[in-house]
Amino acid sequence: MPDTPAPTADPAPALGLAVRLLTAWATEPALRTAPAALPSDPGIPALAHVVAGYGVPEATGAAARAVAVWAGAAGRGPAHTGLYDGGLSGTLVGLRLGALLHPPLHRAADRLGDRLVEGAGARRWRREGVRLADYDLITGPSGMLLALCAVGGDVPAGPRLEPFTAQLGALCDGDDLGRLRTDGYTAHPHLSWLQGRINTGMGHGVAGLVAALTAALRRTGPEPTTAAALGRAAGWLAGQSYVDERGLRTWPGAATAGPPPPVAAPRQAWCYGTPGVAWALWDAADVLGDRAAAEAAADAFTTVAERYDEGFHLSGDRPGDLLGLCHGAAGVLALAEAFERYARLPAAGALRARLVRRLEDGLGRAGVREGWGPDLLTGAAGALAGLLTAGYGGSRAWLPCLGLR
């Protein structure tokens, strides 16, 4: 595996922030019982796993205590099976990552993995008039598939993944991906814009589905049906790109009837826009052996790396919007590092260095509490894990939760 160039700065400040977050979370019940707290989210064990990997005794002790507290509540919260929003697939990932510090958690992970796989065979995911939970990465089978591929062990054997790959493959049985047109959101207060449309993003759209099928193929080896579905999904997604007024090759949030207007959208992040979509396409092309598609995806990311404007592309009032993995700098940092590492993209390395500095400054000013939760996608735990991994060579074991590796 190619190596990312060694970081030039000292990881101690970021590691110190991570230790303070883990310590506060483990010792102050109010941080764990806030209305928005998600006890099953993998953020705390993911950060603890990264922190323990540095081998600093004080840091490892704080990580172990945090995982022990997290494990005591794991599995509570929303009763769904997704990877995020407190779902049980996220709990599975957290148990596996936490087992580095508490090996008995592997037994709990084995039982939960069996439960998720056996339950999937009886599920009735829609294949017409789909909702997000019928396919997406946050609460649907794409995220469950990523979780099972991430955790290692015996769970991800090919036949065990079949309920998930079959559902995603069935939704990609036509070149137009017509089965992925969403329904049921006409009156939804936040998702009415998506009614009858196909989402392109990583969290709720085709990019996340592409990432999940890519991970399955890497895990199981060549499988013609899955590879064909992946090829159709990636081909459709590549065809939705356009060049905006800032010169970025990018993607609309959902497919449009005609060419999208070239007005630049502020959000260029893991969840929407070029960073996440381009990575999903590059990684799919890599596993399928499609060099031309890989070059096109790398070229698209280069337009962002060369034109990324923190003042415009990082927007919002909350730390999670500016610094988090889903919307903010930490997610773009993780994606830039992936393009630098695997695609050998020079522009990605320059963007990575800029975003390391940005995150160090932002996390230092925002602190690790200040009403900011510890979840992985939008919380301080995810932002710190992204900084430590992509900036300072920390463990990569949690990255499959983002469709990375």
Side-chain angles (χ1 to χ4, degrees), residues 3 36 58 101 110 129 139 167 169 192 210 228 255 281 290 305 318 338 359 385:
D3 294 324
E58 178 188 0
L101 294 156
D110 288 342
T139 61
Q167 168 65 7
S192 59
V210 165
L281 289 174
D290 188 338
R318 298 172 299 180
L359 266 174

Side-chain angles (χ1 to χ4, degrees), residues 103-260:
L105 293 181
H106 277 306
R107 292 196 295 273
D110 288 342
R111 292 193 296 271
L112 179 54
D114 288 343
R115 175 181 166 188
L116 290 171
V117 170
E118 291 163 5
R123 288 186 72 96
R124 294 293 181 263
W125 285 305
R126 297 176 184 87
R127 294 183 178 181
E128 298 283 353
V130 295
R131 314 305 199 260
L132 300 181
D134 295 315
Y135 70 88
D136 82 356
L137 188 153
I138 303 298
T139 61
S142 291
M144 297 177 73
L145 186 54
L146 282 179
L148 290 166
C149 290
V151 297
D154 295 331
V155 171
R160 308 263 280 174
L161 300 183
E162 196 276 336
F164 310 97
T165 57
Q167 168 65 7
L168 300 181
L171 295 175
C172 301
D173 63 354
D175 291 341
D176 65 351
L177 301 193
R179 291 183 185 273
L180 284 166
R181 292 191 179 279
T182 57
D183 195 11
Y185 295 116
T186 301
H188 194 284
H190 307 298
L191 296 173
S192 59
W193 66 275
L194 191 55
Q195 174 66 25
R197 302 175 69 188
I198 302 175
N199 192 297
T200 64
M202 184 69 90
H204 294 302
V206 177
L209 182 153
V210 165
L213 291 179
T214 298
L217 282 177
R218 288 198 184 280
R219 190 71 184 172
T220 64
E223 199 288 307
T225 302
T226 301
L230 177 59
R232 286 190 291 271
W236 179 91
L237 186 59
Q240 305 307 307
S241 72
Y242 67 100
V243 177
D244 74 10
E245 62 189 357
R246 286 176 169 249
L248 275 64
R249 169 68 63 179
T250 191
W251 279 260
T256 57

